[in-house]
C-alpha cells in the first residue's frame, strides 16, 4: 500500500517511479472452515514471518476450490474431501496429497428436536428420522466438502432429500456460516464441521444433536497445484508452505489453536 502511494505521488510530480522487487506470495485455495474458524488468521503470521512469503487465501467450498485449482487460479489446495483430492492428483492437476489435520462433523438441530435424534451417535439413523418426520433441514447444496459428506450419509440412509427440495429440505447454495444462519432462522437441522459451529455466534435455538459417529470424521489435505499443467504456479514457495504446514512448526501451530478453551483441529501429518 505504501509503495503504491509512493508511485502515485512521484508520477503526479512527473517523476519516474522506482522499480520495487515484488514480494513473494502464494495463493491458497482453501475450504471455508479453515478461514471461518479463525485457524488461518492464527497460524499464517508465523509462516509469513519465518519465510517472508505472503499467503493470500481464497476461501470457498471444497468443490469450487478444486475447480479453481484445475483452472490454475492458485498454487496450493487446502480442502477436506479426500476422494475428490485423490482424483485431483490422479488427473494430474496436483503433485501429491498430504494429510494435514482432522476434526469432525456434527448434526445440529433445534432444541425442540422434532425428529427426536438428540443424544444419538448414528448419523444415518438420525437423517432417516429427519426425513421420516419431514423436519426442516438446511443443506449447503454447494458441492463443498461438507455437502459431499452430507450427501454420502443421505445415500447410506437410502434417502434422496433433493426430492423434497423447497419443502422440508432447503438448499442454500451458500457457505457454512450462511447456511447455519438459515438453519437458525428456520429452526432446521444442519450438518456442519465442528470448528465452524464452535465459531458461530448466531445459534438461536440450535444445539448439537448427533456427534461421535466414526463416519463424521473430517480429514483435511494439502496439495501443490501441478506446475507442469500451469507454469505460473509458484511451485517453490507453495511447496515451502506445504512443508511448513505438515512439519513440526505448522503442526504445533495447528494444535495450539483453541477457541473458548476447545481445540478445533488436530494435526496428523505423517512424520511431523
Amino acid at each position: 500500500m505504501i509503495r503504491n502511494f509512493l508511485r502515485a505521488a512521484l508520477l503526479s510530480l512527473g517523476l519516474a517511479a522506482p522499480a520495487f522487487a515484488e514480494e513473494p506470495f502464494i495463493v491458497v485455495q482453501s475450504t471455508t472452515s479453515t478461514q471461518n474458524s479463525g485457524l488461518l488468521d492464527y497460524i499464517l503470521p508465523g509462516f509469513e514471518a519465518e519465510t517472508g512469503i505472503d499467503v493470500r487465501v481464497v476461501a470457498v467450498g471444497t468443490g469450487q476450490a478444486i475447480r479453481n485449482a484445475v483452472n490454475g487460479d492458485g498454487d496450493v489446495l487446502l480442502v477436506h474431501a479426500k476422494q475428490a483430492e485423490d482424483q485431483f492428483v490422479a488427473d494430474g492437476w496436483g503433485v501429491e496429497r498430504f494429510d494435514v489435520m482432522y476434526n469432525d462433523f456434527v448434526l445440529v438441530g433445534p432444541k425442540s428436536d422434532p425428529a427426536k435424534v438428540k443424544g444419538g451417535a448414528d448419523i444415518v439413523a438420525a437423517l432417516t428420522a429427519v426425513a421420516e418426520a419431514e423436519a426442516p433441514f438446511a443443506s449447503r447444496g454447494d458441492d463443498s466438502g461438507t455437502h459431499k459428506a452430507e450427501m454420502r450419509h443421505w445415500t447410506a440412509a437410502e434417502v434422496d432429500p433433493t426430492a423434497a427440495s423447497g419443502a422440508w429440505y432447503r438448499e442454500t447454495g451458500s457457505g457454512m456460516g450462511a447456511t447455519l444462519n438459515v438453519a437458525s432462522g428456520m429452526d432446521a437441522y444442519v450438518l456442519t464441521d465442528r470448528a465452524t459451529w464452535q465459531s458461530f455466534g448466531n445459534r438461536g435455538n440450535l444445539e448439537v444433536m448427533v456427534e461421535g459417529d466414526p463416519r463424521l470424521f473430517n480429514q483435511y489435505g494439502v496439495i501443490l497445484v501441478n506446475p507442469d499443467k500451469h507454469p505460473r504456479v509458484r511451485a517453490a514457495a507453495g511447496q515451502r508452505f506445504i512443508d511448513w504446514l505438515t512439519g513440526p512448526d505448522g503442526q504445533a501451530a495447528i494444535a495450539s489453536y483453541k477457541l473458548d478453551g476447545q481445540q478445533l483441529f488436530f494435526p496428523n501429518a505423517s512424520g511431523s
Side-chain angles (χ1 to χ4, degrees):
M1 183 180 295
I2 294 175
R3 291 179 177 181
N4 291 337
F5 176 80
L6 179 58
R7 283 194 183 96
L10 291 171
L11 289 172
S12 70
L13 296 173
L15 301 174
F20 293 107
E22 289 294 327
E23 293 181 357
F25 73 92
I26 58 171
V27 174
V28 175
Q29 291 285 345
S30 173
T31 176
T32 57
S33 58
T34 55
Q35 182 84 331
N36 292 346
S37 65
L39 175 70
L40 293 182
D41 287 339
Y42 178 79
I43 69 172
L44 290 183
F47 170 76
E48 293 171 340
E50 180 180 322
T51 64
I53 299 171
D54 182 40
V55 180
R56 303 176 185 179
V57 178
V58 178
V60 290
T62 286
Q64 186 61 56
I66 291 174
R67 288 190 290 274
N68 291 349
V70 166
N71 291 334
D73 298 328
D75 307 298
V76 174
L77 186 63
L78 177 61
V79 290
H80 63 143
K82 189 173 186 301
Q83 184 176 355
E85 296 163 40
D86 288 340
Q87 191 63 52
F88 177 80
V89 173
D91 290 342
W93 298 111
V95 176
E96 185 177 0
R97 182 197 172 279
F98 298 93
D99 283 342
V100 176
M101 60 192 179
Y102 68 91
N103 59 10
D104 64 343
F105 294 107
V106 292
L107 182 69
V108 171
K111 295 176 182 178
S112 59
D113 191 22
K116 303 295 187 277
V117 298
K118 184 176 180 180
D122 186 329
I123 185 61
V124 174
L127 291 182
T128 299
V130 168
E132 289 176 348
E134 297 187 351
F137 188 100
S139 170
R140 287 181 60 165
D142 64 349
D143 195 36
S144 61
T146 302
H147 181 231
K148 290 176 186 290
E150 178 208 319
M151 296 312 295
R152 285 198 304 272
H153 302 319
W154 284 120
T155 298
E158 299 182 348
V159 173
D160 177 12
T162 60
S165 182
W168 59 267
Y169 187 74
R170 304 293 180 89
E171 296 156 295
T172 69
S174 302
M176 196 69 254
T179 302
L180 280 167
N181 275 321
V182 169
S184 178
M186 59 186 292
D187 281 346
Y189 293 94
V190 58
L191 187 74
T192 176
D193 66 282
R194 191 184 293 271
T196 303
W197 170 249
Q198 191 67 21
S199 309
F200 184 61
N202 181 33
R203 297 185 180 185
N205 291 321
L206 300 182
E207 58 185 33
V208 173
M209 294 284 151
V210 176
E211 60 184 331
D213 188 328
R215 289 170 291 191
L216 293 173
F217 179 78
N218 183 26
Q219 177 70 54
Y220 290 78
V222 66
I223 305 169
L224 179 70
V225 178
N226 192 347
D228 291 339
K229 291 281 191 179
H230 298 291
R232 66 177 177 270
V233 166
R234 303 165 187 85
Q239 188 60 52
R240 192 170 183 188
F241 174 67
I242 291 172
D243 291 343
W244 181 86
L245 193 64
T246 59
D249 291 345
Q251 295 283 282
I254 291 167
S256 66
Y257 180 59
K258 297 180 180 180
L259 189 63
D260 297 330
Q262 181 174 341
Q263 184 174 340
L264 300 188
F265 298 92
F266 298 84
N268 66 342
S270 300
S272 62

